[in-house]
Amino acid sequence: MDAADLGLPVDVPSTALFTDQYELTMLQAALRAGTAERRSVFEVFTRRLPNGRRYGVVAGTGRVLDAVENFRFDPALLGFLRERGVVDEATLRWLAEYRFHGDVWGYPEGEVYFPGSPVMRVEGSFAECVLLETVILSVLNHDSAIAAAASRMSAAAGGRGLIEMGARRTHELAAVAAARAAYVGGFDSTSDLAAGFRYGIPTVGTSAHAFTLLHDTERGAFRAQVDSLGRGTTLLVDTYDVAEAVRTAVDIAGPELGAVRIDSGDLLLVAHRVRRQLDELGAVNTRIVVTSDLDEYAIASLAAAPVDAYGVGTQLVTGSGHPTCSMVYKLVARARSTDPGAPLEPVAKKSRGGKTSIGGRKWAARRPDEQGVAEAEVVGTGAVPDGLADRQLLVQLVKGGEVVAREPLDAARERHLAVRGGLPLSATQLSRGEPVLPTEYL
């Protein structure tokens, strides 16, 4: 059985209250008005990327599918809503039978997106679709922000190892989601065991400074760790004097020492000194892992250092300064009546201040140039041009309420690395700039 099928105690039996109250009050009003069953189309998109970012990364799709499946109002939840007077009895009876029976289309997880990209499209009755707004946005906004930061760090690392280690820097449940999103964005492993159990992500970890300080001497601490975990372990060498710690580490573990970790100081300078010292001691295959408040810029600055892997915590799980993607969930089309055959009409918000939207059920495709490099994100509401028909980005995720596109997490990770590689080279530059692809509307 796949680890993701096992579930965790941190999972909740229902996602139905992971929502805002006005979703339910809108439902009540629509039921009374007789408009709740109008066929509707909602889309998730962002009007702009975080300042300076060249592309976004879709992450959390698998979690959205879980959330939609688990969106159920059990008696305890209905009792809470009744006690608080959130909605009336007629609405509570409707909620008791709630199941999403519509369709969901979306960019596959790991894909990149740009301003205006219809990242996800939810179709069904107004009533069943509007209830999903908050939970879908909470998942996609969080996970996509983490994945975008992870992708930038992955590009900066240039193939060197990346360890997600931010569990102690965020909410305990967010830590699991963050580790998952980081893996999609290109990280190789996590320190968080819940993420490893829930999603099958490789887990790593050996010791902290507390273990060294527990023992009377650093040598005693290293000896205890090697005796327990073997010569291939990673020894933390910056508790006291780095050079002395490296000598002690190699003396105890021999040239088979797996790695040393450096968690403080001038990492560029210290890494060079440690590499030279390890080589002189015959530990030529011992790897160097660096940690200490890294972000994509710090990782890029260490490109010339003899570093084998980076451990990243705070900056990763907070989106490296951009903890949300500002995605929105907007009604873009609805039927004229509750008749199942009634045609859809485009609808759109029109207001000042840059918060307008474009009506109509949309498709999206990515147009390549003559060399096969992506040159534009094309979004339209009419017929798909012949030249773009086989380059459409949205895939069906849910059909008639049934999930049809669940996939292994590794598939999303591999997709992202492949898609990123098909973008213009400037996509991975860390300097501030506009989105690497323009969005064209047809």
Side-chain angles (χ1 to χ4, degrees), residues 33 104 117 141 176 227 255 319 336 377 406:
V104 179
S117 296
N141 268 314
V176 181
D227 287 347
R336 295 178 183 176
E377 192 89 340
R406 189 169 272 115

Side-chain angles (χ1 to χ4, degrees), residues 78-97:
L78 294 170
F80 166 78
L81 296 175
R82 179 178 292 108
E83 178 185 339
R84 294 293 180 94
V86 175
V87 289
D88 60 20
E89 285 298 322
T91 305
L92 290 173
R93 288 193 296 272
W94 191 94
L95 291 173
E97 302 299 323

Side-chain angles (χ1 to χ4, degrees), residues 117-340:
S117 296
V119 170
M120 186 168 286
R121 189 173 72 225
V122 182
E123 305 180 22
S125 70
F126 175 84
E128 63 182 340
C129 294
V130 74
L131 292 182
L132 299 177
E133 174 182 5
T134 302
V135 71
I136 287 177
L137 288 179
S138 67
V139 172
L140 293 180
N141 268 314
H142 174 270
D143 289 24
S144 297
I146 306 305
S151 179
R152 286 163 59 86
M153 295 174 189
S154 171
R160 295 174 177 178
L162 285 166
I163 307 164
E164 184 282 315
M165 47 195 305
R168 64 189 64 190
R169 296 292 187 262
T170 188
H171 185 280
E172 67 271 19
L173 302 188
V176 181
R180 183 187 184 281
Y183 192 68
V184 170
F187 272 59
D188 303 292
S189 58
T190 179
S191 65
D192 190 88
L193 289 175
F197 176 73
R198 180 70 179 86
Y199 297 114
I201 302 170
T203 58
V204 296
T206 52
S207 68
H209 291 104
F211 186 77
T212 300
L213 296 170
L214 168 68
H215 293 79
D216 296 335
T217 65
E218 191 170 53
R219 174 175 289 273
F222 287 178
R223 169 58 66 191
Q225 184 174 328
V226 170
D227 287 347
S228 175
L229 301 178
R231 295 176 183 271
T233 191
T234 299
L235 294 175
L236 181 58
V237 295
D238 72 324
T239 305
Y240 304 118
D241 179 82
V242 172
E244 180 60 31
V246 171
R247 279 192 293 271
T248 302
V250 176
D251 183 48
I252 291 172
E256 296 85 8
L257 175 63
V260 295
R261 178 162 75 95
I262 306 166
D263 188 51
S264 60
D266 183 335
L267 297 179
L268 179 62
L269 175 63
V270 176
H272 277 288
R273 288 177 174 173
V274 169
R275 180 74 272 161
R276 183 170 60 250
Q277 186 180 12
L278 288 169
D279 292 346
E280 290 172 351
L281 293 171
V284 296
N285 294 319
T286 298
R287 302 165 69 246
I288 296 176
V289 180
V290 297
T291 53
S292 185
D293 294 326
L294 299 178
D295 61 10
E296 60 266 47
Y297 301 101
I299 290 171
S301 73
L302 291 168
V307 172
D308 299 286
Y310 306 92
V312 190
T314 302
Q315 291 302 316
L316 176 60
V317 299
T318 57
S320 195
H322 297 290
T324 182
C325 303
S326 299
M327 290 181 181
V328 294
Y329 184 97
K330 296 298 180 183
L331 181 67
V332 297
R334 50 90 173 149
R336 295 178 183 176
S337 70
T338 57
D339 184 339

